[in-house]
Amino acid sequence: AYGTKEESAVRPIGRYPVPNKKDMPYDIVELMEEVERKAGFLPNIFKVMCHRPAEFRAFFAYYNVIMKKDTGRLSKADKELIIVATSAENRCPYCVTAHAAFHRIYSQQPARADQVIVNWKKADLSDRDLAMLEFALAVCRADNITEEHFQKLERHGFDREDAWDIGMISAFFAMSNRIAHFIDLHPNEEFYRMGREKGEA
Amino acid sequence: AYGTKEESAVRPIGRYPVPNKKDMPYDIVELMEEVERKAGFLPNIFKVMCHRPAEFRAFFAYYNVIMKKDTGRLSKADKELIIVATSAENRCPYCVTAHAAFHRIYSQQPARADQVIVNWKKADLSDRDLAMLEFALAVCRADNITEEHFQKLERHGFDREDAWDIGMISAFFAMSNRIAHFIDLHPNEEFYRMGREKGEA
Amino acid sequence: AYGTKEESAVRPIGRYPVPNKKDMPYDIVELMEEVERKAGFLPNIFKVMCHRPAEFRAFFAYYNVIMKKDTGRLSKADKELIIVATSAENRCPYCVTAHAAFHRIYSQQPARADQVIVNWKKADLSDRDLAMLEFALAVCRADNITEEHFQKLERHGFDREDAWDIGMISAFFAMSNRIAHFIDLHPNEEFYRMGREKGEA
Amino acid sequence: AYGTKEESAVRPIGRYPVPNKKDMPYDIVELMEEVERKAGFLPNIFKVMCHRPAEFRAFFAYYNVIMKKDTGRLSKADKELIIVATSAENRCPYCVTAHAAFHRIYSQQPARADQVIVNWKKADLSDRDLAMLEFALAVCRADNITEEHFQKLERHGFDREDAWDIGMISAFFAMSNRIAHFIDLHPNEEFYRMGREKGEA
Amino acid sequence: AYGTKEESAVRPIGRYPVPNKKDMPYDIVELMEEVERKAGFLPNIFKVMCHRPAEFRAFFAYYNVIMKKDTGRLSKADKELIIVATSAENRCPYCVTAHAAFHRIYSQQPARADQVIVNWKKADLSDRDLAMLEFALAVCRADNITEEHFQKLERHGFDREDAWDIGMISAFFAMSNRIAHFIDLHPNEEFYRMGREKGEA
Amino acid sequence: AYGTKEESAVRPIGRYPVPNKKDMPYDIVELMEEVERKAGFLPNIFKVMCHRPAEFRAFFAYYNVIMKKDTGRLSKADKELIIVATSAENRCPYCVTAHAAFHRIYSQQPARADQVIVNWKKADLSDRDLAMLEFALAVCRADNITEEHFQKLERHGFDREDAWDIGMISAFFAMSNRIAHFIDLHPNEEFYRMGREKGEA
């Protein structure tokens, strides 16, 4: 099974049952084992989403397309920062906690995600990063997006393809945050500690 | 090319270029031709999303998994009603217009979607449908979803699997609405007229 | 009596009783018969307001003064568009539905009102029409109206008398929307279908 | 002319010109002279509304129908309190100031209106008066009005006709507040001082 | 005891007991007697705060430091106006009523505070006073305060030390308003009448 | 001087100048040295507040009265949790960061404050702690506080004196958050790392 012992003793990781490994389709087990091997633990989103194998496949396929896309001007840390800022707006415990951890790892800036969670406008960010988050949060709030939004991005070096990338990540996590809310998905304890010191990989 | 003549003469259907058919991957062309054959026209979402073929595939694969799922208590009309109500909350012209048309076709109730767009709480809906929309809108607003939300659904005959379905559709369109906003996606003119009379298929 | 058969079989048109024709004052019956003759049916607002004859007279006298005023730059379609946009902001089923129908008839644009209901800023409107609605909605929200509001209107060709007309229509329907809300006034079924095709009168 | 000397020296009473008495229709002059004779001064709303004589007549005819109606359970002070509470919600200087003065006169409670302006829920009001204002403010905000709203009123002795009266006053001043906003109507100085002492008539 | 007879007969001045004079520490009695001697009555805030003598001392010591500071460009009337405007935003009956009275006394403008309570942006204020209140209200709402806020103040003659004074008064009353809310502190009747006529001291 | 070298090289800790130690009054220097000795560093709030020595004394005297009060049912960790939750509502970087660190130290729960910052209703808290935060946040938002608020606290074992303590801490930090906002106070880097591991003192 996929609930870690410590957690399952305390409370479930979400509102829906976590299937046993032996009942899951082979391709899903394989993907989960690979993730667990690399990360050292299996993020809870994998455990709950396999309640619906077809949706599991669709969700992670989409995630990989936008997060592992390697063209454009968004670094891995940029993408995580977008997720942290928009998920904080939606007050999503799982996504904020997991992606703040990823941001700490990728950016090697242990305090930046914490700052963004409290008040992104006052975080120690470059004007470029503030412009990126401003666009991401306008998409997050389902604002009307106008030419002015794109032009502001362009003044900080992002072209229309980058705008699409920022908007798509914000939109995808608008979905993820809401899924996490109705599943009542809890973050793995590991996330809170990851990347708190510079140099941690 | 995929812009209908009448529209392309007036204005673009969105902020990003629509690729020429000959430049698109074969699987995408095939899917679009099938949709166009069935519907009589190609909804603009297909035309703009093929700007990013990998995202096109991920988006429609996900859409099909949740919209064509045939287990559970949600009818085709129920699903469209959820989309209309949540997309109206997000003020998304494309999704409201397209899915109001689909709702009119599936429900054979020409006025119901229009009522939901203005004020879902005062629409001519059963208590069951109101409960369904109340849950969908709580997910749409990224509210904290509590046991009370699930219990209220249960009192109207929806179990936890149905709740997942309602929540997932609401979450997916939280994403779609935001994509449509940053692309500035316009509805096809055909949608406004579809299903205005009972008996139309 | 004034409830159409089909509707009265289903549910009342509002929360207050609709008086019998024979119990109503002569001048009110006369006005209602004239409206019914012209429109082909009697809009429900007439049926419910005659519960209070003195208020009926005051309400329609005021309505006629501002809606039938033929000086100034507002066309009949402009006036209806203001009503649709502000009543949508107030989520008033009756006023949105009835005046969207009137707008379709006067403008011969079957889709424009539907667009305004979902998101007026993204509707296919001229800059002049957007400026008109921006002023109307500022009044609708009871914003402080400043010289800047008037100057913006002037840049699109509206003078201060036009501003008064826009503001007065918005203010009058701020009242009407709230009356419809406490009466729980339902739109006549006829409104949903009116003017869906170009050329309909 | 109708601007008092002291005020006209300082600033205009609104954004639109106040016509000279000699240019106004006879019935309007007559009504204004009667009001001035009774009150000792002419409230500014009369001066600005005669810019549009037909609207002047419609506005005051409607006002008189609802404010001078002498059936039902609403006292003159009740009606003024509804206007004060809803106009404060809309932050309307003219209506709050004028009707707080009228409330002080009718209620002989010099502090009550001031309390309602700051925070009606904490004013020294009976449960009946709180229920009356709660209904009035629900109408003021254009909330959906449900059976529960009416039942709550009934528990405090108000029947459905009283509910109509409360709702209609709230709706009429939803209009008046907005008219005053776009005209930028200033209160007469006299209103600030009226009724500050018990026993003042 | 410190409850005036008239009030204690009607209702308590707050949710916590008012201690008897003989049970209070000597320094607090002395301060209260001095205030009462000067003002002619003892403001209720003194009566309720002595429920916690240590907090009484801390609260009034802080109050005196910022309100009796005599450097900078804020007059006594300016300070009271800031308190009135921010306490109205927080809908605090005690602070609005008491400090509106103080403002009337200090400013010799009997109507100004009443105008600010209803809608500060439309009150008869100089551009300097509007800029002062705009900064105070930005602090009151816990907005992010930027260089633009300071620059706008500077354009009206306030330097950074004045900005600190405005911000600190707004911040202190953000605290006071909330204390008054949880104590349910009622204003003394005397406040409603104070300073209604010019020339009153 | 009191700016740490690393920080002063990067940017100022706030908008106002930090005085040199030699220019500060003796009592303030003494207090700051004691704090620095105990904590290992001097929190920036001390450095910026000594710009105004009289306000420095008043601020910390008040803080000590409420935070070092040792009667009642609030533990040190409870008090810090109230500060974290309310300061997160006000999006105050300094207060959230500093008091989250203090909470980690006092509670020995390295993840709890982070959870409260994102979404206190979904944090791993007891019903008692949730009730405490619910009251604190009602005060924080300047809500009308009613008997129901107190009764809910009582059901979780808090009496009216505890309610005062909770309310007073929330009110005091409503002030502190706003001071930090207008000063643009930055947290010391040390706070981000404090208490991340259990057992840290």
Side-chain angles (χ1 to χ4, degrees):
Chain A
Y2 269 115
T4 67
K5 258 172 289 177
E6 194 189 352
E7 281 174 350
S8 64
V10 184
R11 61 169 197 179
I13 60 168
R15 202 169 260 134
Y16 287 85
V18 174
N20 285 321
K21 201 172 167 175
K22 66 180 166 49
D23 301 328
M24 285 188 241
Y26 182 69
D27 63 314
I28 289 180
V29 172
E30 202 172 42
L31 191 152
M32 284 162 77
E33 287 181 345
E34 188 195 334
V35 170
E36 198 170 2
R37 203 165 42 238
K38 282 189 188 162
F41 66 99
L42 186 62
N44 288 338
I45 181 74
F46 290 90
K47 301 180 204 167
V48 298
M49 283 299 283
C50 62
H51 178 61
R52 295 272 181 107
E55 296 174 29
F56 178 107
R57 290 183 192 105
F59 180 88
F60 290 107
Y62 206 146
Y63 178 91
N64 286 336
V65 163
I66 59 176
M67 294 299 286
K68 299 191 175 164
K69 173 175 181 290
D70 52 11
T71 55
R73 289 174 185 79
L74 300 185
S75 69
K76 276 179 155 53
D78 289 338
K79 292 178 180 181
E80 299 298 339
L81 202 65
I82 291 166
I83 300 170
V84 170
T86 58
S87 301
E89 178 85 6
N90 289 327
R91 311 193 73 164
C92 177
Y94 184 84
C95 300
V96 169
T97 308
H99 293 277
F102 297 151
H103 183 266
R104 288 193 295 269
I105 297 293
Y106 290 132
S107 71
Q108 291 296 311
Q109 296 172 316
R112 208 63 74 245
D114 280 357
Q115 293 175 344
V116 166
I117 293 166
V118 177
N119 190 331
W120 68 271
K121 290 199 181 175
K122 301 186 82 163
D124 292 321
L125 296 172
S126 65
D127 286 348
R128 175 224 185 244
D129 288 359
L130 288 168
M132 179 183 78
L133 293 188
E134 189 175 334
F135 188 86
L137 281 156
V139 172
C140 171
R141 288 185 306 256
D143 286 357
N144 286 343
I145 305 298
T146 64
E147 280 305 299
E148 285 70 36
H149 287 96
F150 284 83
Q151 287 160 8
K152 189 153 187 193
L153 273 185
E154 282 166 15
R155 283 197 296 276
H156 292 91
F158 294 108
D159 67 15
R160 306 230 148 188
E161 295 306 313
D162 300 320
W164 177 299
D165 289 339
I166 298 169
M168 187 59 83
I169 293 170
S170 180
F172 185 85
F173 278 86
M175 174 175 69
S176 303
N177 294 166
R178 285 158 177 83
I179 296 173
H181 269 310
F182 78 72
I183 289 178
D184 195 24
L185 180 60
H186 299 280
N188 307 56
E189 290 296 322
E190 287 87 345
F191 285 129
Y192 293 102
R193 289 188 299 269
M194 274 170 65
R196 291 287 178 191
E197 300 298 328
K198 285 198 183 183
E200 197 179 323
Chain B
Y2 269 113
T4 66
K5 259 171 289 176
E6 191 187 356
E7 282 172 349
S8 62
V10 184
R11 62 167 195 182
I13 60 169
R15 202 169 261 132
Y16 287 86
V18 175
N20 285 322
K21 201 171 170 175
K22 64 178 168 49
D23 300 328
M24 284 188 243
Y26 183 70
D27 62 315
I28 289 180
V29 173
E30 200 173 41
L31 192 152
M32 285 163 77
E33 288 180 344
E34 188 195 334
V35 170
E36 197 170 2
R37 201 163 45 237
K38 282 188 186 164
F41 66 100
L42 185 62
N44 288 338
I45 181 74
F46 289 90
K47 300 179 204 166
V48 297
M49 284 298 285
C50 62
H51 178 61
R52 295 274 182 105
E55 297 173 30
F56 178 106
R57 292 183 191 104
F59 180 88
F60 291 107
Y62 206 147
Y63 178 90
N64 287 337
V65 163
I66 59 176
M67 294 300 286
K68 299 192 176 165
K69 172 175 179 291
D70 53 11
T71 54
R73 288 175 186 81
L74 299 186
S75 69
K76 276 179 154 53
D78 289 338
K79 292 179 181 181
E80 299 298 340
L81 202 65
I82 292 168
I83 300 169
V84 170
T86 58
S87 301
E89 178 83 8
N90 289 327
R91 313 192 72 163
C92 177
Y94 184 83
C95 300
V96 169
T97 309
H99 292 277
F102 297 152
H103 182 266
R104 288 192 296 269
I105 298 293
Y106 290 133
S107 71
Q108 291 295 310
Q109 295 171 316
R112 208 64 73 245
D114 279 357
Q115 294 175 345
V116 166
I117 293 166
V118 177
N119 190 332
W120 66 273
K121 288 199 181 175
K122 302 187 82 164
D124 292 321
L125 296 172
S126 65
D127 288 348
R128 175 220 184 249
D129 288 359
L130 288 169
M132 180 182 78
L133 292 188
E134 189 176 335
F135 188 86
L137 281 157
V139 172
C140 171
R141 289 184 305 257
D143 286 355
N144 285 343
I145 305 297
T146 63
E147 281 305 299
E148 285 71 37
H149 287 96
F150 284 83
Q151 288 160 9
K152 190 155 186 192
L153 273 186
E154 282 166 13
R155 283 198 296 277
H156 292 91
F158 294 107
D159 67 16
R160 305 230 148 189
E161 296 306 313
D162 299 320
W164 178 299
D165 290 338
I166 298 169
M168 188 59 83
I169 293 169
S170 180
F172 185 85
F173 279 86
M175 174 176 67
S176 303
N177 295 166
R178 285 158 177 84
I179 297 173
H181 269 310
F182 78 74
I183 290 178
D184 194 26
L185 180 60
H186 298 281
N188 307 57
E189 291 295 321
E190 288 87 344
F191 285 129
Y192 294 102
R193 290 188 297 272
M194 273 171 66
R196 293 285 178 193
E197 300 298 327
K198 284 198 184 184
E200 196 178 322
Chain C
Y2 269 114
T4 66
K5 259 172 289 177
E6 193 189 353
E7 282 173 347
S8 63
V10 184
R11 61 170 198 180
I13 59 169
R15 204 169 257 132
Y16 287 86
V18 174
N20 286 321
K21 200 171 168 175
K22 66 179 167 51
D23 301 327
M24 284 189 241
Y26 183 69
D27 62 314
I28 289 179
V29 172
E30 202 172 42
L31 191 153
M32 286 163 75
E33 287 180 344
E34 187 195 334
V35 170
E36 198 170 1
R37 202 163 44 235
K38 283 188 187 165
F41 66 99
L42 185 62
N44 287 339
I45 181 74
F46 289 91
K47 299 179 204 167
V48 297
M49 284 299 284
C50 62
H51 178 61
R52 296 274 181 104
E55 295 173 31
F56 179 106
R57 291 181 192 107
F59 181 87
F60 290 107
Y62 206 147
Y63 178 91
N64 286 336
V65 164
I66 60 176
M67 294 300 285
K68 299 193 176 163
K69 172 175 180 292
D70 52 12
T71 55
R73 287 174 187 80
L74 300 185
S75 69
K76 274 177 156 50
D78 288 337
K79 292 178 180 181
E80 300 299 339
L81 202 65
I82 292 167
I83 300 170
V84 170
T86 59
S87 301
E89 177 85 6
N90 290 325
R91 313 193 71 164
C92 177
Y94 184 83
C95 300
V96 169
T97 310
H99 293 278
F102 297 152
H103 183 266
R104 288 192 295 269
I105 297 293
Y106 290 133
S107 71
Q108 291 295 312
Q109 295 171 315
R112 208 63 74 247
D114 279 358
Q115 293 175 344
V116 167
I117 293 166
V118 177
N119 191 331
W120 66 273
K121 289 199 182 176
K122 301 186 82 164
D124 292 322
L125 296 172
S126 65
D127 287 348
R128 174 222 186 246
D129 288 359
L130 288 169
M132 179 182 78
L133 292 188
E134 189 175 336
F135 188 87
L137 281 156
V139 172
C140 171
R141 288 184 307 256
D143 286 356
N144 285 343
I145 304 298
T146 64
E147 280 305 298
E148 284 72 37
H149 286 95
F150 283 83
Q151 288 158 9
K152 190 154 185 192
L153 273 185
E154 282 166 15
R155 283 197 297 276
H156 292 91
F158 295 108
D159 67 16
R160 307 229 148 188
E161 296 306 312
D162 299 320
W164 177 299
D165 289 340
I166 297 169
M168 187 59 82
I169 293 169
S170 180
F172 185 84
F173 279 86
M175 174 175 69
S176 302
N177 294 166
R178 285 158 177 83
I179 297 173
H181 269 310
F182 76 74
I183 290 177
D184 195 25
L185 181 60
H186 299 281
N188 306 57
E189 290 295 321
E190 287 86 345
F191 285 129
Y192 293 101
R193 290 188 296 270
M194 275 171 65
R196 292 287 178 192
E197 300 298 328
K198 285 199 183 183
E200 197 178 323
Chain D
Y2 268 114
T4 67
K5 260 170 289 177
E6 194 188 354
E7 282 173 346
S8 62
V10 184
R11 62 169 195 180
I13 60 169
R15 203 169 259 133
Y16 287 86
V18 174
N20 286 321
K21 201 171 167 175
K22 65 179 167 48
D23 301 326
M24 284 189 242
Y26 183 68
D27 63 314
I28 288 180
V29 173
E30 200 172 44
L31 191 153
M32 284 164 77
E33 288 180 343
E34 188 195 334
V35 169
E36 197 169 3
R37 201 161 47 235
K38 282 188 186 165
F41 67 100
L42 185 63
N44 288 339
I45 181 74
F46 289 91
K47 300 178 205 167
V48 297
M49 284 299 285
C50 61
H51 178 60
R52 295 275 181 103
E55 295 173 32
F56 179 106
R57 291 183 191 105
F59 181 88
F60 289 108
Y62 205 147
Y63 179 91
N64 286 336
V65 163
I66 60 176
M67 294 300 285
K68 298 192 175 164
K69 172 174 178 292
D70 53 10
T71 55
R73 287 175 186 80
L74 298 186
S75 69
K76 277 178 154 56
D78 289 338
K79 293 178 180 181
E80 300 298 340
L81 202 65
I82 291 167
I83 300 169
V84 170
T86 58
S87 300
E89 179 83 8
N90 289 327
R91 311 194 74 164
C92 177
Y94 184 83
C95 299
V96 169
T97 308
H99 292 278
F102 297 152
H103 183 265
R104 288 193 295 270
I105 298 292
Y106 289 134
S107 71
Q108 291 295 310
Q109 295 171 316
R112 207 65 74 243
D114 279 357
Q115 294 175 344
V116 166
I117 293 165
V118 178
N119 190 332
W120 66 273
K121 288 199 181 175
K122 302 187 81 163
D124 293 321
L125 296 173
S126 64
D127 287 348
R128 174 221 185 247
D129 288 359
L130 288 169
M132 180 181 78
L133 292 188
E134 190 176 334
F135 188 86
L137 281 156
V139 172
C140 170
R141 289 185 305 256
D143 286 355
N144 285 343
I145 305 296
T146 63
E147 281 304 299
E148 285 70 37
H149 286 96
F150 283 82
Q151 288 159 10
K152 189 154 186 192
L153 273 186
E154 282 166 13
R155 283 198 296 278
H156 292 92
F158 294 107
D159 66 16
R160 305 230 148 188
E161 296 306 313
D162 299 321
W164 178 299
D165 290 339
I166 298 169
M168 188 58 83
I169 293 170
S170 180
F172 185 84
F173 279 86
M175 174 175 68
S176 302
N177 296 167
R178 285 158 177 83
I179 296 173
H181 269 310
F182 78 72
I183 290 178
D184 195 24
L185 179 60
H186 299 281
N188 307 58
E189 290 295 321
E190 288 86 344
F191 285 130
Y192 293 102
R193 290 189 298 270
M194 273 171 66
R196 291 287 178 191
E197 299 299 327
K198 285 199 184 183
E200 197 179 322
Chain E
Y2 269 114
T4 66
K5 259 172 290 176
E6 194 189 353
E7 281 172 349
S8 63
V10 184
R11 61 168 197 181
I13 59 169
R15 203 169 258 134
Y16 286 86
V18 174
N20 285 321
K21 199 170 168 175
K22 67 180 165 50
D23 300 328
M24 285 188 241
Y26 183 70
D27 63 314
I28 289 180
V29 172
E30 203 172 42
L31 191 152
M32 286 163 75
E33 288 181 344
E34 189 195 332
V35 170
E36 197 170 2
R37 203 163 44 235
K38 282 188 187 164
F41 67 98
L42 185 62
N44 288 338
I45 181 75
F46 290 90
K47 300 179 203 168
V48 298
M49 284 298 284
C50 62
H51 179 59
R52 295 273 181 105
E55 295 173 30
F56 179 106
R57 291 183 192 107
F59 180 88
F60 290 108
Y62 206 147
Y63 178 90
N64 286 336
V65 163
I66 59 176
M67 294 301 285
K68 299 192 176 164
K69 172 174 180 291
D70 52 12
T71 54
R73 288 176 185 79
L74 299 186
S75 68
K76 277 181 154 54
D78 288 337
K79 292 179 180 182
E80 299 299 339
L81 202 65
I82 292 167
I83 300 170
V84 169
T86 58
S87 301
E89 177 84 6
N90 288 326
R91 311 194 73 163
C92 177
Y94 184 84
C95 300
V96 169
T97 309
H99 292 278
F102 297 152
H103 182 265
R104 289 192 295 269
I105 297 293
Y106 289 134
S107 70
Q108 291 295 312
Q109 295 171 316
R112 209 63 73 247
D114 279 358
Q115 293 175 345
V116 167
I117 293 165
V118 177
N119 191 331
W120 68 271
K121 288 198 181 175
K122 302 187 80 163
D124 292 321
L125 296 173
S126 65
D127 286 349
R128 174 220 184 247
D129 288 0
L130 289 169
M132 179 183 77
L133 293 188
E134 189 175 336
F135 188 86
L137 281 156
V139 172
C140 171
R141 289 184 305 257
D143 286 356
N144 285 344
I145 305 297
T146 63
E147 280 305 298
E148 284 71 37
H149 287 96
F150 283 83
Q151 287 159 9
K152 188 153 186 193
L153 274 185
E154 281 165 15
R155 283 198 297 278
H156 292 90
F158 295 108
D159 67 17
R160 304 229 149 189
E161 295 306 311
D162 300 319
W164 178 299
D165 290 338
I166 298 168
M168 188 58 82
I169 293 170
S170 181
F172 185 85
F173 279 86
M175 174 176 69
S176 303
N177 295 167
R178 285 158 176 84
I179 296 173
H181 269 310
F182 78 74
I183 290 178
D184 194 25
L185 181 60
H186 299 281
N188 306 57
E189 291 296 321
E190 287 86 345
F191 285 128
Y192 293 102
R193 290 187 298 270
M194 273 171 66
R196 291 289 178 190
E197 300 298 328
K198 285 199 183 182
E200 197 178 322
Chain F
Y2 269 114
T4 67
K5 257 170 291 178
E6 193 188 353
E7 282 173 348
S8 62
V10 184
R11 63 170 195 180
I13 60 170
R15 202 169 260 131
Y16 287 87
V18 174
N20 286 322
K21 200 171 167 176
K22 65 178 167 51
D23 301 327
M24 284 188 242
Y26 182 69
D27 62 314
I28 289 180
V29 172
E30 200 172 42
L31 192 152
M32 285 163 76
E33 288 181 343
E34 189 196 333
V35 170
E36 197 170 3
R37 202 163 44 235
K38 282 187 188 165
F41 67 99
L42 185 62
N44 288 339
I45 180 74
F46 289 91
K47 299 180 204 166
V48 297
M49 284 298 284
C50 63
H51 178 61
R52 295 274 181 105
E55 295 173 31
F56 180 106
R57 291 181 193 107
F59 181 87
F60 289 108
Y62 205 147
Y63 179 90
N64 286 337
V65 163
I66 60 176
M67 294 301 285
K68 299 194 175 163
K69 173 176 179 291
D70 53 10
T71 54
R73 286 175 186 79
L74 300 186
S75 69
K76 276 181 155 54
D78 288 339
K79 292 179 181 180
E80 299 299 339
L81 202 65
I82 291 167
I83 300 169
V84 170
T86 58
S87 300
E89 177 84 8
N90 289 327
R91 312 193 72 163
C92 177
Y94 184 83
C95 299
V96 169
T97 308
H99 293 277
F102 297 152
H103 182 266
R104 289 193 293 270
I105 297 293
Y106 290 134
S107 72
Q108 291 295 311
Q109 295 172 315
R112 208 63 74 245
D114 279 358
Q115 294 176 343
V116 166
I117 293 165
V118 177
N119 191 330
W120 67 273
K121 288 198 181 176
K122 302 187 83 163
D124 292 322
L125 296 173
S126 65
D127 287 348
R128 174 221 184 247
D129 289 359
L130 289 169
M132 180 182 78
L133 292 188
E134 189 176 335
F135 188 86
L137 281 157
V139 172
C140 171
R141 290 185 305 257
D143 286 356
N144 286 343
I145 305 297
T146 63
E147 281 305 299
E148 285 70 37
H149 287 96
F150 284 83
Q151 287 160 10
K152 189 154 186 192
L153 274 185
E154 282 166 14
R155 283 198 297 277
H156 292 92
F158 294 109
D159 66 17
R160 306 228 148 191
E161 296 306 312
D162 299 321
W164 178 298
D165 290 339
I166 298 168
M168 188 59 83
I169 293 169
S170 179
F172 185 84
F173 279 86
M175 174 175 68
S176 303
N177 294 165
R178 285 159 177 83
I179 296 173
H181 269 309
F182 78 73
I183 289 177
D184 195 25
L185 180 60
H186 299 281
N188 307 58
E189 290 296 321
E190 288 87 344
F191 285 129
Y192 293 102
R193 290 188 297 269
M194 274 170 66
R196 292 286 178 194
E197 299 299 327
K198 284 198 186 184
E200 196 179 322

